[in-house]
Amino acid sequence: MARILFLHSSVYGQSQRICERIQSNLVARGHLAEAVPIAQPGVDPTGYDAIVIGASIRHGKHNPAVMEFIQRHQSLLESRPGAFFSVSLVARKPGKDTAETNPYSKAFLARSPWKPSAAAVFGGVLDYQRYNLFDRYVIRLIMTINKGPTDLHTAHEFTDWQKVDQFAERIGGLLSPPAA
């Protein structure tokens, strides 16, 4: 059985929800897993056999704490199986829904000194009512330009949960099989 640390950077909670879904999938397979915010003080990844990092996009960027964590723990991350996933509204579009084709994920992974064993991209949640006034109208403008939903009174979840479950299986394949 592997001990897995899930670190998430989430503004509105979707990266956390995805981490928790992958976590429960792997726990059901006999592994131990803990999910915590990446910016939580005192996070010590040394006692884990694998590390999964999930980060959302906000204003076109991942939270700087994600790259800071990777740089601070690069040698540890490189010494064990690890996975990275990104969550964005751009990932709702075909052709921008993989780590290799999504512009945010591609740029992040190109800058990152750590090369995870597995990477994925998932669509996020568009919920205009949860945004502050500035974000609501900026995101609406971006959605107008990109032909996305613009109705300020509805919410849209673009996360493909089957794809999340498939990524959990991929992560499980990187780990030592649980003891019988």
Side-chain angles (χ1 to χ4, degrees), residues 13-18 55-57 85-94 96-99 102 120-126 131 156-164:
Q14 196 67 1
S15 295
Q16 180 178 350
R17 286 183 61 211
I18 292 169
S56 64
I57 295 294
F85 69 84
S86 182
V87 180
S88 73
L89 291 173
V90 170
R92 79 187 191 287
K93 298 174 124 187
K96 297 192 180 201
D97 58 350
T98 69
N102 182 279
V121 174
F122 304 111
V125 172
L126 176 66
Y131 305 146
H156 301 273
E157 181 171 7
F158 296 103
T159 305
D160 180 340
W161 292 104
Q162 183 177 6
K163 188 176 170 184
V164 171

PDB file of all heavy atoms in Angstrom, residues 13-18 55-57 85-94 96-99 102 120-126 131 156-164:
ATOM      1  N   GLY A  13     -12.690  25.778  -5.289  1.00  0.00           N
ATOM      2  CA  GLY A  13     -12.879  24.436  -4.756  1.00  0.00           C
ATOM      3  C   GLY A  13     -12.873  23.286  -5.752  1.00  0.00           C
ATOM      4  O   GLY A  13     -12.895  22.133  -5.337  1.00  0.00           O
ATOM      5  N   GLN A  14     -12.819  23.546  -7.065  1.00  0.00           N
ATOM      6  CA  GLN A  14     -12.897  22.435  -8.009  1.00  0.00           C
ATOM      7  C   GLN A  14     -11.629  21.577  -8.013  1.00  0.00           C
ATOM      8  O   GLN A  14     -11.715  20.358  -8.097  1.00  0.00           O
ATOM      9  CB  GLN A  14     -13.213  22.954  -9.421  1.00  0.00           C
ATOM     10  CG  GLN A  14     -13.677  21.876 -10.369  1.00  0.00           C
ATOM     11  CD  GLN A  14     -15.028  21.289  -9.997  1.00  0.00           C
ATOM     12  OE1 GLN A  14     -15.672  21.685  -9.020  1.00  0.00           O
ATOM     13  NE2 GLN A  14     -15.474  20.319 -10.768  1.00  0.00           N
ATOM     14  N   SER A  15     -10.470  22.186  -7.888  1.00  0.00           N
ATOM     15  CA  SER A  15      -9.235  21.387  -7.806  1.00  0.00           C
ATOM     16  C   SER A  15      -9.262  20.497  -6.572  1.00  0.00           C
ATOM     17  O   SER A  15      -8.836  19.338  -6.616  1.00  0.00           O
ATOM     18  CB  SER A  15      -7.998  22.294  -7.767  1.00  0.00           C
ATOM     19  OG  SER A  15      -7.865  22.999  -8.963  1.00  0.00           O
ATOM     20  N   GLN A  16      -9.763  21.030  -5.485  1.00  0.00           N
ATOM     21  CA  GLN A  16      -9.890  20.241  -4.262  1.00  0.00           C
ATOM     22  C   GLN A  16     -10.861  19.078  -4.475  1.00  0.00           C
ATOM     23  O   GLN A  16     -10.577  17.948  -4.081  1.00  0.00           O
ATOM     24  CB  GLN A  16     -10.353  21.112  -3.106  1.00  0.00           C
ATOM     25  CG  GLN A  16     -10.510  20.353  -1.815  1.00  0.00           C
ATOM     26  CD  GLN A  16     -10.932  21.229  -0.646  1.00  0.00           C
ATOM     27  OE1 GLN A  16     -10.932  22.450  -0.743  1.00  0.00           O
ATOM     28  NE2 GLN A  16     -11.298  20.599   0.445  1.00  0.00           N
ATOM     29  N   ARG A  17     -12.005  19.355  -5.107  1.00  0.00           N
ATOM     30  CA  ARG A  17     -12.988  18.282  -5.359  1.00  0.00           C
ATOM     31  C   ARG A  17     -12.385  17.181  -6.225  1.00  0.00           C
ATOM     32  O   ARG A  17     -12.618  15.995  -5.992  1.00  0.00           O
ATOM     33  CB  ARG A  17     -14.240  18.848  -6.037  1.00  0.00           C
ATOM     34  CG  ARG A  17     -15.133  19.630  -5.108  1.00  0.00           C
ATOM     35  CD  ARG A  17     -16.395  20.115  -5.796  1.00  0.00           C
ATOM     36  NE  ARG A  17     -17.182  18.991  -6.282  1.00  0.00           N
ATOM     37  CZ  ARG A  17     -17.951  19.048  -7.371  1.00  0.00           C
ATOM     38  NH1 ARG A  17     -18.023  20.142  -8.099  1.00  0.00           N
ATOM     39  NH2 ARG A  17     -18.642  17.995  -7.749  1.00  0.00           N
ATOM     40  N   ILE A  18     -11.609  17.586  -7.235  1.00  0.00           N
ATOM     41  CA  ILE A  18     -10.981  16.597  -8.113  1.00  0.00           C
ATOM     42  C   ILE A  18      -9.954  15.787  -7.323  1.00  0.00           C
ATOM     43  O   ILE A  18      -9.898  14.549  -7.448  1.00  0.00           O
ATOM     44  CB  ILE A  18     -10.377  17.281  -9.346  1.00  0.00           C
ATOM     45  CG1 ILE A  18     -11.505  17.833 -10.235  1.00  0.00           C
ATOM     46  CG2 ILE A  18      -9.492  16.305 -10.135  1.00  0.00           C
ATOM     47  CD1 ILE A  18     -11.049  18.764 -11.349  1.00  0.00           C
ATOM     48  N   ALA A  55      -3.898  21.966  -9.549  1.00  0.00           N
ATOM     49  CA  ALA A  55      -3.910  23.429  -9.464  1.00  0.00           C
ATOM     50  C   ALA A  55      -4.862  24.027 -10.488  1.00  0.00           C
ATOM     51  O   ALA A  55      -4.865  23.630 -11.658  1.00  0.00           O
ATOM     52  CB  ALA A  55      -2.501  23.967  -9.684  1.00  0.00           C
ATOM     53  N   SER A  56      -5.624  24.993 -10.035  1.00  0.00           N
ATOM     54  CA  SER A  56      -6.538  25.688 -10.934  1.00  0.00           C
ATOM     55  C   SER A  56      -5.856  26.888 -11.576  1.00  0.00           C
ATOM     56  O   SER A  56      -4.836  27.374 -11.097  1.00  0.00           O
ATOM     57  CB  SER A  56      -7.786  26.140 -10.172  1.00  0.00           C
ATOM     58  OG  SER A  56      -7.425  27.086  -9.178  1.00  0.00           O
ATOM     59  N   ILE A  57      -6.470  27.348 -12.638  1.00  0.00           N
ATOM     60  CA  ILE A  57      -6.025  28.545 -13.337  1.00  0.00           C
ATOM     61  C   ILE A  57      -6.879  29.710 -12.865  1.00  0.00           C
ATOM     62  O   ILE A  57      -8.096  29.612 -12.779  1.00  0.00           O
ATOM     63  CB  ILE A  57      -6.193  28.381 -14.862  1.00  0.00           C
ATOM     64  CG1 ILE A  57      -5.278  27.287 -15.389  1.00  0.00           C
ATOM     65  CG2 ILE A  57      -5.957  29.692 -15.603  1.00  0.00           C
ATOM     66  CD1 ILE A  57      -3.815  27.595 -15.283  1.00  0.00           C
ATOM     67  N   PHE A  85      -2.133  17.778 -12.220  1.00  0.00           N
ATOM     68  CA  PHE A  85      -3.269  18.111 -13.078  1.00  0.00           C
ATOM     69  C   PHE A  85      -3.608  19.585 -12.912  1.00  0.00           C
ATOM     70  O   PHE A  85      -3.361  20.195 -11.884  1.00  0.00           O
ATOM     71  CB  PHE A  85      -4.486  17.218 -12.819  1.00  0.00           C
ATOM     72  CG  PHE A  85      -5.173  17.426 -11.503  1.00  0.00           C
ATOM     73  CD1 PHE A  85      -6.130  18.419 -11.330  1.00  0.00           C
ATOM     74  CD2 PHE A  85      -4.877  16.600 -10.435  1.00  0.00           C
ATOM     75  CE1 PHE A  85      -6.779  18.588 -10.114  1.00  0.00           C
ATOM     76  CE2 PHE A  85      -5.521  16.758  -9.218  1.00  0.00           C
ATOM     77  CZ  PHE A  85      -6.473  17.765  -9.057  1.00  0.00           C
ATOM     78  N   SER A  86      -4.131  20.133 -13.984  1.00  0.00           N
ATOM     79  CA  SER A  86      -4.522  21.529 -14.037  1.00  0.00           C
ATOM     80  C   SER A  86      -6.022  21.595 -14.301  1.00  0.00           C
ATOM     81  O   SER A  86      -6.576  20.730 -14.997  1.00  0.00           O
ATOM     82  CB  SER A  86      -3.750  22.214 -15.169  1.00  0.00           C
ATOM     83  OG  SER A  86      -4.045  23.585 -15.237  1.00  0.00           O
ATOM     84  N   VAL A  87      -6.670  22.615 -13.747  1.00  0.00           N
ATOM     85  CA  VAL A  87      -8.114  22.803 -13.921  1.00  0.00           C
ATOM     86  C   VAL A  87      -8.337  24.187 -14.513  1.00  0.00           C
ATOM     87  O   VAL A  87      -7.868  25.178 -13.955  1.00  0.00           O
ATOM     88  CB  VAL A  87      -8.858  22.680 -12.571  1.00  0.00           C
ATOM     89  CG1 VAL A  87     -10.345  22.881 -12.759  1.00  0.00           C
ATOM     90  CG2 VAL A  87      -8.562  21.337 -11.917  1.00  0.00           C
ATOM     91  N   SER A  88      -9.035  24.228 -15.644  1.00  0.00           N
ATOM     92  CA  SER A  88      -9.315  25.523 -16.267  1.00  0.00           C
ATOM     93  C   SER A  88     -10.561  25.448 -17.123  1.00  0.00           C
ATOM     94  O   SER A  88     -10.981  24.374 -17.549  1.00  0.00           O
ATOM     95  CB  SER A  88      -8.126  25.978 -17.124  1.00  0.00           C
ATOM     96  OG  SER A  88      -8.035  25.219 -18.301  1.00  0.00           O
ATOM     97  N   LEU A  89     -11.115  26.601 -17.413  1.00  0.00           N
ATOM     98  CA  LEU A  89     -12.272  26.663 -18.298  1.00  0.00           C
ATOM     99  C   LEU A  89     -11.866  26.414 -19.746  1.00  0.00           C
ATOM    100  O   LEU A  89     -12.662  25.918 -20.536  1.00  0.00           O
ATOM    101  CB  LEU A  89     -12.990  28.002 -18.156  1.00  0.00           C
ATOM    102  CG  LEU A  89     -13.694  28.207 -16.815  1.00  0.00           C
ATOM    103  CD1 LEU A  89     -14.241  29.615 -16.693  1.00  0.00           C
ATOM    104  CD2 LEU A  89     -14.795  27.177 -16.627  1.00  0.00           C
ATOM    105  N   VAL A  90     -10.640  26.730 -20.104  1.00  0.00           N
ATOM    106  CA  VAL A  90     -10.153  26.471 -21.460  1.00  0.00           C
ATOM    107  C   VAL A  90     -10.209  24.970 -21.747  1.00  0.00           C
ATOM    108  O   VAL A  90     -10.451  24.556 -22.878  1.00  0.00           O
ATOM    109  CB  VAL A  90      -8.715  27.024 -21.629  1.00  0.00           C
ATOM    110  CG1 VAL A  90      -8.093  26.562 -22.930  1.00  0.00           C
ATOM    111  CG2 VAL A  90      -8.726  28.538 -21.565  1.00  0.00           C
ATOM    112  N   ALA A  91     -10.007  24.153 -20.728  1.00  0.00           N
ATOM    113  CA  ALA A  91      -9.984  22.698 -20.906  1.00  0.00           C
ATOM    114  C   ALA A  91     -11.345  22.130 -21.291  1.00  0.00           C
ATOM    115  O   ALA A  91     -11.446  20.955 -21.622  1.00  0.00           O
ATOM    116  CB  ALA A  91      -9.471  22.025 -19.631  1.00  0.00           C
ATOM    117  N   ARG A  92     -12.370  22.952 -21.315  1.00  0.00           N
ATOM    118  CA  ARG A  92     -13.691  22.495 -21.745  1.00  0.00           C
ATOM    119  C   ARG A  92     -13.720  22.270 -23.249  1.00  0.00           C
ATOM    120  O   ARG A  92     -14.606  21.602 -23.771  1.00  0.00           O
ATOM    121  CB  ARG A  92     -14.776  23.484 -21.337  1.00  0.00           C
ATOM    122  CG  ARG A  92     -14.883  24.700 -22.228  1.00  0.00           C
ATOM    123  CD  ARG A  92     -15.853  25.760 -21.701  1.00  0.00           C
ATOM    124  NE  ARG A  92     -16.129  26.773 -22.685  1.00  0.00           N
ATOM    125  CZ  ARG A  92     -15.287  27.727 -23.075  1.00  0.00           C
ATOM    126  NH1 ARG A  92     -14.087  27.807 -22.526  1.00  0.00           N
ATOM    127  NH2 ARG A  92     -15.635  28.613 -23.988  1.00  0.00           N
ATOM    128  N   LYS A  93     -12.736  22.837 -23.954  1.00  0.00           N
ATOM    129  CA  LYS A  93     -12.732  22.805 -25.407  1.00  0.00           C
ATOM    130  C   LYS A  93     -11.937  21.613 -25.943  1.00  0.00           C
ATOM    131  O   LYS A  93     -10.810  21.367 -25.499  1.00  0.00           O
ATOM    132  CB  LYS A  93     -12.110  24.092 -25.952  1.00  0.00           C
ATOM    133  CG  LYS A  93     -12.879  25.336 -25.584  1.00  0.00           C
ATOM    134  CD  LYS A  93     -12.131  26.555 -26.034  1.00  0.00           C
ATOM    135  CE  LYS A  93     -13.031  27.363 -26.929  1.00  0.00           C
ATOM    136  NZ  LYS A  93     -12.315  28.478 -27.536  1.00  0.00           N
ATOM    137  N   PRO A  94     -12.504  20.900 -26.902  1.00  0.00           N
ATOM    138  CA  PRO A  94     -11.736  19.828 -27.549  1.00  0.00           C
ATOM    139  C   PRO A  94     -10.458  20.417 -28.159  1.00  0.00           C
ATOM    140  O   PRO A  94     -10.453  21.514 -28.686  1.00  0.00           O
ATOM    141  CB  PRO A  94     -12.684  19.323 -28.644  1.00  0.00           C
ATOM    142  CG  PRO A  94     -14.049  19.752 -28.199  1.00  0.00           C
ATOM    143  CD  PRO A  94     -13.855  21.035 -27.437  1.00  0.00           C
ATOM    144  N   LYS A  96      -7.947  21.299 -26.405  1.00  0.00           N
ATOM    145  CA  LYS A  96      -7.262  22.014 -25.324  1.00  0.00           C
ATOM    146  C   LYS A  96      -7.501  21.291 -24.003  1.00  0.00           C
ATOM    147  O   LYS A  96      -7.399  21.873 -22.943  1.00  0.00           O
ATOM    148  CB  LYS A  96      -7.746  23.455 -25.252  1.00  0.00           C
ATOM    149  CG  LYS A  96      -7.405  24.203 -26.528  1.00  0.00           C
ATOM    150  CD  LYS A  96      -7.594  25.662 -26.411  1.00  0.00           C
ATOM    151  CE  LYS A  96      -7.231  26.277 -27.748  1.00  0.00           C
ATOM    152  NZ  LYS A  96      -6.908  27.644 -27.680  1.00  0.00           N
ATOM    153  N   ASP A  97      -7.825  20.016 -24.094  1.00  0.00           N
ATOM    154  CA  ASP A  97      -8.245  19.237 -22.933  1.00  0.00           C
ATOM    155  C   ASP A  97      -7.263  18.149 -22.512  1.00  0.00           C
ATOM    156  O   ASP A  97      -7.624  17.211 -21.817  1.00  0.00           O
ATOM    157  CB  ASP A  97      -9.628  18.639 -23.189  1.00  0.00           C
ATOM    158  CG  ASP A  97      -9.676  17.758 -24.431  1.00  0.00           C
ATOM    159  OD1 ASP A  97      -8.696  17.746 -25.211  1.00  0.00           O
ATOM    160  OD2 ASP A  97     -10.701  17.077 -24.629  1.00  0.00           O
ATOM    161  N   THR A  98      -6.002  18.281 -22.942  1.00  0.00           N
ATOM    162  CA  THR A  98      -4.963  17.367 -22.475  1.00  0.00           C
ATOM    163  C   THR A  98      -3.770  18.195 -21.997  1.00  0.00           C
ATOM    164  O   THR A  98      -3.627  19.369 -22.381  1.00  0.00           O
ATOM    165  CB  THR A  98      -4.481  16.405 -23.599  1.00  0.00           C
ATOM    166  OG1 THR A  98      -3.754  17.151 -24.576  1.00  0.00           O
ATOM    167  CG2 THR A  98      -5.642  15.653 -24.242  1.00  0.00           C
ATOM    168  N   ALA A  99      -2.918  17.584 -21.218  1.00  0.00           N
ATOM    169  CA  ALA A  99      -1.738  18.293 -20.714  1.00  0.00           C
ATOM    170  C   ALA A  99      -0.817  18.720 -21.859  1.00  0.00           C
ATOM    171  O   ALA A  99      -0.119  19.723 -21.751  1.00  0.00           O
ATOM    172  CB  ALA A  99      -0.978  17.407 -19.724  1.00  0.00           C
ATOM    173  N   ASN A 102      -3.194  21.770 -23.832  1.00  0.00           N
ATOM    174  CA  ASN A 102      -3.732  22.915 -23.090  1.00  0.00           C
ATOM    175  C   ASN A 102      -2.631  23.961 -22.922  1.00  0.00           C
ATOM    176  O   ASN A 102      -1.551  23.648 -22.400  1.00  0.00           O
ATOM    177  CB  ASN A 102      -4.250  22.445 -21.727  1.00  0.00           C
ATOM    178  CG  ASN A 102      -4.859  23.566 -20.932  1.00  0.00           C
ATOM    179  OD1 ASN A 102      -4.141  24.341 -20.310  1.00  0.00           O
ATOM    180  ND2 ASN A 102      -6.173  23.653 -20.964  1.00  0.00           N
ATOM    181  N   ALA A 120      -2.493  15.666 -16.434  1.00  0.00           N
ATOM    182  CA  ALA A 120      -3.822  15.746 -17.036  1.00  0.00           C
ATOM    183  C   ALA A 120      -4.364  17.169 -16.897  1.00  0.00           C
ATOM    184  O   ALA A 120      -3.825  17.976 -16.128  1.00  0.00           O
ATOM    185  CB  ALA A 120      -4.777  14.759 -16.364  1.00  0.00           C
ATOM    186  N   VAL A 121      -5.421  17.420 -17.629  1.00  0.00           N
ATOM    187  CA  VAL A 121      -6.121  18.700 -17.581  1.00  0.00           C
ATOM    188  C   VAL A 121      -7.611  18.398 -17.508  1.00  0.00           C
ATOM    189  O   VAL A 121      -8.110  17.518 -18.215  1.00  0.00           O
ATOM    190  CB  VAL A 121      -5.817  19.542 -18.846  1.00  0.00           C
ATOM    191  CG1 VAL A 121      -6.651  20.797 -18.865  1.00  0.00           C
ATOM    192  CG2 VAL A 121      -4.347  19.881 -18.916  1.00  0.00           C
ATOM    193  N   PHE A 122      -8.299  19.141 -16.654  1.00  0.00           N
ATOM    194  CA  PHE A 122      -9.740  18.959 -16.511  1.00  0.00           C
ATOM    195  C   PHE A 122     -10.454  20.296 -16.629  1.00  0.00           C
ATOM    196  O   PHE A 122      -9.926  21.329 -16.193  1.00  0.00           O
ATOM    197  CB  PHE A 122     -10.076  18.330 -15.149  1.00  0.00           C
ATOM    198  CG  PHE A 122      -9.368  17.033 -14.913  1.00  0.00           C
ATOM    199  CD1 PHE A 122      -8.379  16.934 -13.950  1.00  0.00           C
ATOM    200  CD2 PHE A 122      -9.666  15.908 -15.667  1.00  0.00           C
ATOM    201  CE1 PHE A 122      -7.702  15.744 -13.733  1.00  0.00           C
ATOM    202  CE2 PHE A 122      -8.996  14.717 -15.462  1.00  0.00           C
ATOM    203  CZ  PHE A 122      -8.018  14.631 -14.487  1.00  0.00           C
ATOM    204  N   GLY A 123     -11.644  20.255 -17.190  1.00  0.00           N
ATOM    205  CA  GLY A 123     -12.473  21.454 -17.244  1.00  0.00           C
ATOM    206  C   GLY A 123     -12.912  21.830 -15.839  1.00  0.00           C
ATOM    207  O   GLY A 123     -13.091  20.966 -14.975  1.00  0.00           O
ATOM    208  N   GLY A 124     -13.072  23.102 -15.626  1.00  0.00           N
ATOM    209  CA  GLY A 124     -13.472  23.588 -14.310  1.00  0.00           C
ATOM    210  C   GLY A 124     -14.953  23.895 -14.236  1.00  0.00           C
ATOM    211  O   GLY A 124     -15.757  23.355 -14.992  1.00  0.00           O
ATOM    212  N   VAL A 125     -15.295  24.783 -13.330  1.00  0.00           N
ATOM    213  CA  VAL A 125     -16.678  25.209 -13.124  1.00  0.00           C
ATOM    214  C   VAL A 125     -16.770  26.694 -13.437  1.00  0.00           C
ATOM    215  O   VAL A 125     -15.944  27.486 -12.985  1.00  0.00           O
ATOM    216  CB  VAL A 125     -17.129  24.947 -11.666  1.00  0.00           C
ATOM    217  CG1 VAL A 125     -18.486  25.563 -11.388  1.00  0.00           C
ATOM    218  CG2 VAL A 125     -17.142  23.459 -11.380  1.00  0.00           C
ATOM    219  N   LEU A 126     -17.778  27.035 -14.206  1.00  0.00           N
ATOM    220  CA  LEU A 126     -18.081  28.433 -14.496  1.00  0.00           C
ATOM    221  C   LEU A 126     -19.339  28.767 -13.709  1.00  0.00           C
ATOM    222  O   LEU A 126     -20.411  28.260 -13.998  1.00  0.00           O
ATOM    223  CB  LEU A 126     -18.321  28.622 -16.000  1.00  0.00           C
ATOM    224  CG  LEU A 126     -18.752  30.006 -16.454  1.00  0.00           C
ATOM    225  CD1 LEU A 126     -17.634  31.013 -16.213  1.00  0.00           C
ATOM    226  CD2 LEU A 126     -19.133  29.979 -17.925  1.00  0.00           C
ATOM    227  N   TYR A 131     -18.500  34.664  -8.341  1.00  0.00           N
ATOM    228  CA  TYR A 131     -17.395  35.588  -8.606  1.00  0.00           C
ATOM    229  C   TYR A 131     -17.689  36.981  -8.079  1.00  0.00           C
ATOM    230  O   TYR A 131     -18.850  37.400  -8.029  1.00  0.00           O
ATOM    231  CB  TYR A 131     -17.131  35.698 -10.111  1.00  0.00           C
ATOM    232  CG  TYR A 131     -16.883  34.393 -10.821  1.00  0.00           C
ATOM    233  CD1 TYR A 131     -17.307  34.205 -12.116  1.00  0.00           C
ATOM    234  CD2 TYR A 131     -16.217  33.342 -10.200  1.00  0.00           C
ATOM    235  CE1 TYR A 131     -17.080  33.018 -12.792  1.00  0.00           C
ATOM    236  CE2 TYR A 131     -15.986  32.154 -10.865  1.00  0.00           C
ATOM    237  CZ  TYR A 131     -16.428  32.002 -12.154  1.00  0.00           C
ATOM    238  OH  TYR A 131     -16.199  30.822 -12.809  1.00  0.00           O
ATOM    239  N   HIS A 156     -22.095  26.350 -14.812  1.00  0.00           N
ATOM    240  CA  HIS A 156     -21.774  25.249 -15.719  1.00  0.00           C
ATOM    241  C   HIS A 156     -20.568  24.498 -15.173  1.00  0.00           C
ATOM    242  O   HIS A 156     -19.531  25.098 -14.935  1.00  0.00           O
ATOM    243  CB  HIS A 156     -21.432  25.785 -17.117  1.00  0.00           C
ATOM    244  CG  HIS A 156     -22.526  26.564 -17.749  1.00  0.00           C
ATOM    245  ND1 HIS A 156     -23.523  25.981 -18.486  1.00  0.00           N
ATOM    246  CD2 HIS A 156     -22.801  27.890 -17.745  1.00  0.00           C
ATOM    247  CE1 HIS A 156     -24.347  26.913 -18.915  1.00  0.00           C
ATOM    248  NE2 HIS A 156     -23.931  28.075 -18.468  1.00  0.00           N
ATOM    249  N   GLU A 157     -20.733  23.198 -14.996  1.00  0.00           N
ATOM    250  CA  GLU A 157     -19.601  22.366 -14.592  1.00  0.00           C
ATOM    251  C   GLU A 157     -19.091  21.644 -15.833  1.00  0.00           C
ATOM    252  O   GLU A 157     -19.837  20.933 -16.502  1.00  0.00           O
ATOM    253  CB  GLU A 157     -19.997  21.346 -13.527  1.00  0.00           C
ATOM    254  CG  GLU A 157     -18.825  20.506 -13.091  1.00  0.00           C
ATOM    255  CD  GLU A 157     -19.119  19.631 -11.889  1.00  0.00           C
ATOM    256  OE1 GLU A 157     -20.273  19.567 -11.442  1.00  0.00           O
ATOM    257  OE2 GLU A 157     -18.180  19.007 -11.400  1.00  0.00           O
ATOM    258  N   PHE A 158     -17.812  21.844 -16.136  1.00  0.00           N
ATOM    259  CA  PHE A 158     -17.196  21.245 -17.311  1.00  0.00           C
ATOM    260  C   PHE A 158     -16.273  20.085 -16.966  1.00  0.00           C
ATOM    261  O   PHE A 158     -15.613  19.549 -17.846  1.00  0.00           O
ATOM    262  CB  PHE A 158     -16.420  22.309 -18.101  1.00  0.00           C
ATOM    263  CG  PHE A 158     -17.291  23.394 -18.653  1.00  0.00           C
ATOM    264  CD1 PHE A 158     -17.333  24.643 -18.049  1.00  0.00           C
ATOM    265  CD2 PHE A 158     -18.086  23.166 -19.766  1.00  0.00           C
ATOM    266  CE1 PHE A 158     -18.150  25.645 -18.553  1.00  0.00           C
ATOM    267  CE2 PHE A 158     -18.903  24.160 -20.283  1.00  0.00           C
ATOM    268  CZ  PHE A 158     -18.927  25.405 -19.680  1.00  0.00           C
ATOM    269  N   THR A 159     -16.208  19.695 -15.711  1.00  0.00           N
ATOM    270  CA  THR A 159     -15.337  18.587 -15.304  1.00  0.00           C
ATOM    271  C   THR A 159     -15.911  17.277 -15.815  1.00  0.00           C
ATOM    272  O   THR A 159     -17.075  16.961 -15.562  1.00  0.00           O
ATOM    273  CB  THR A 159     -15.205  18.538 -13.774  1.00  0.00           C
ATOM    274  OG1 THR A 159     -14.754  19.812 -13.312  1.00  0.00           O
ATOM    275  CG2 THR A 159     -14.230  17.462 -13.345  1.00  0.00           C
ATOM    276  N   ASP A 160     -15.092  16.538 -16.522  1.00  0.00           N
ATOM    277  CA  ASP A 160     -15.460  15.211 -17.005  1.00  0.00           C
ATOM    278  C   ASP A 160     -15.018  14.212 -15.930  1.00  0.00           C
ATOM    279  O   ASP A 160     -13.836  13.852 -15.846  1.00  0.00           O
ATOM    280  CB  ASP A 160     -14.764  14.937 -18.339  1.00  0.00           C
ATOM    281  CG  ASP A 160     -15.085  13.566 -18.925  1.00  0.00           C
ATOM    282  OD1 ASP A 160     -15.529  12.663 -18.184  1.00  0.00           O
ATOM    283  OD2 ASP A 160     -14.852  13.395 -20.138  1.00  0.00           O
ATOM    284  N   TRP A 161     -15.962  13.787 -15.087  1.00  0.00           N
ATOM    285  CA  TRP A 161     -15.615  12.941 -13.944  1.00  0.00           C
ATOM    286  C   TRP A 161     -15.132  11.558 -14.373  1.00  0.00           C
ATOM    287  O   TRP A 161     -14.328  10.940 -13.678  1.00  0.00           O
ATOM    288  CB  TRP A 161     -16.781  12.864 -12.965  1.00  0.00           C
ATOM    289  CG  TRP A 161     -16.990  14.203 -12.326  1.00  0.00           C
ATOM    290  CD1 TRP A 161     -17.969  15.112 -12.615  1.00  0.00           C
ATOM    291  CD2 TRP A 161     -16.161  14.814 -11.330  1.00  0.00           C
ATOM    292  NE1 TRP A 161     -17.791  16.249 -11.861  1.00  0.00           N
ATOM    293  CE2 TRP A 161     -16.693  16.091 -11.056  1.00  0.00           C
ATOM    294  CE3 TRP A 161     -15.013  14.414 -10.646  1.00  0.00           C
ATOM    295  CZ2 TRP A 161     -16.126  16.958 -10.132  1.00  0.00           C
ATOM    296  CZ3 TRP A 161     -14.444  15.273  -9.721  1.00  0.00           C
ATOM    297  CH2 TRP A 161     -15.002  16.531  -9.468  1.00  0.00           C
ATOM    298  N   GLN A 162     -15.563  11.093 -15.522  1.00  0.00           N
ATOM    299  CA  GLN A 162     -15.046   9.816 -16.030  1.00  0.00           C
ATOM    300  C   GLN A 162     -13.562   9.960 -16.369  1.00  0.00           C
ATOM    301  O   GLN A 162     -12.760   9.072 -16.082  1.00  0.00           O
ATOM    302  CB  GLN A 162     -15.835   9.379 -17.256  1.00  0.00           C
ATOM    303  CG  GLN A 162     -15.399   8.039 -17.794  1.00  0.00           C
ATOM    304  CD  GLN A 162     -16.250   7.587 -18.974  1.00  0.00           C
ATOM    305  OE1 GLN A 162     -17.099   8.297 -19.470  1.00  0.00           O
ATOM    306  NE2 GLN A 162     -15.991   6.372 -19.428  1.00  0.00           N
ATOM    307  N   LYS A 163     -13.193  11.086 -16.928  1.00  0.00           N
ATOM    308  CA  LYS A 163     -11.778  11.358 -17.236  1.00  0.00           C
ATOM    309  C   LYS A 163     -10.960  11.456 -15.940  1.00  0.00           C
ATOM    310  O   LYS A 163      -9.826  10.992 -15.872  1.00  0.00           O
ATOM    311  CB  LYS A 163     -11.689  12.648 -18.043  1.00  0.00           C
ATOM    312  CG  LYS A 163     -10.336  12.953 -18.591  1.00  0.00           C
ATOM    313  CD  LYS A 163     -10.395  14.221 -19.467  1.00  0.00           C
ATOM    314  CE  LYS A 163      -9.017  14.683 -19.831  1.00  0.00           C
ATOM    315  NZ  LYS A 163      -9.018  15.937 -20.580  1.00  0.00           N
ATOM    316  N   VAL A 164     -11.556  12.029 -14.891  1.00  0.00           N
ATOM    317  CA  VAL A 164     -10.888  12.108 -13.584  1.00  0.00           C
ATOM    318  C   VAL A 164     -10.649  10.688 -13.049  1.00  0.00           C
ATOM    319  O   VAL A 164      -9.552  10.373 -12.574  1.00  0.00           O
ATOM    320  CB  VAL A 164     -11.717  12.952 -12.587  1.00  0.00           C
ATOM    321  CG1 VAL A 164     -11.143  12.864 -11.183  1.00  0.00           C
ATOM    322  CG2 VAL A 164     -11.803  14.406 -13.050  1.00  0.00           C
TER     323      VAL A 164
END
